[in-house]
Amino acid sequence: MLQSLTEVRVFPLTHEMNELADRYMAARVFALSMENDALHVAAAVVARFDVLVSWNFRHLVNRRRRAAINSVNAMWRLPTIEIISPPEL
């Protein structure tokens, strides 16, 4: 397991990531209890990932939420992101 972690890239949280997460929260894309999910998506968007893979069907792998996320991203001229489950990969 430790060997597989050598291939994992760690991205420190930035002001831009926190700001985007706050924008998601302000737009009510995520409930107040889902702040970590908003930050997770914001970090992926700011890091310019095209896809976020998650088993979190309730909060992330959700067609309506993905549309709302990408709507906020478009409003701020940020790239869209696909949020999919591992089997879809």
Side-chain angles (χ1 to χ4, degrees):
M1 190 160 89
L2 289 174
Q3 184 179 4
S4 66
L5 287 177
T6 61
E7 298 174 21
V8 173
R9 291 175 34 194
V10 176
F11 291 87
L13 292 178
T14 66
H15 175 72
E16 187 180 8
M17 291 170 183
N18 283 303
E19 191 174 78
L20 181 55
D22 289 344
R23 289 176 182 156
Y24 293 145
M25 301 301 287
R28 299 181 185 253
V29 173
F30 294 95
L32 292 176
S33 62
M34 298 166 57
E35 190 173 8
N36 286 338
D37 293 318
L39 191 54
H40 187 182
V41 173
V45 170
V46 170
R48 299 297 194 254
F49 284 98
D50 298 325
V51 177
L52 174 63
V53 180
S54 175
W55 284 111
N56 188 341
F57 292 100
R58 186 170 188 201
H59 296 157
L60 295 178
V61 185
N62 175 307
R63 192 173 287 186
R64 281 180 274 161
R65 191 169 325 272
R66 183 177 58 224
I69 288 164
N70 286 326
S71 176
V72 170
N73 291 354
M75 191 168 27
W76 292 97
R77 298 178 189 210
L78 292 166
T80 60
I81 189 163
E82 289 293 320
I83 303 173
I84 62 172
S85 65
E88 294 176 277
L89 193 61

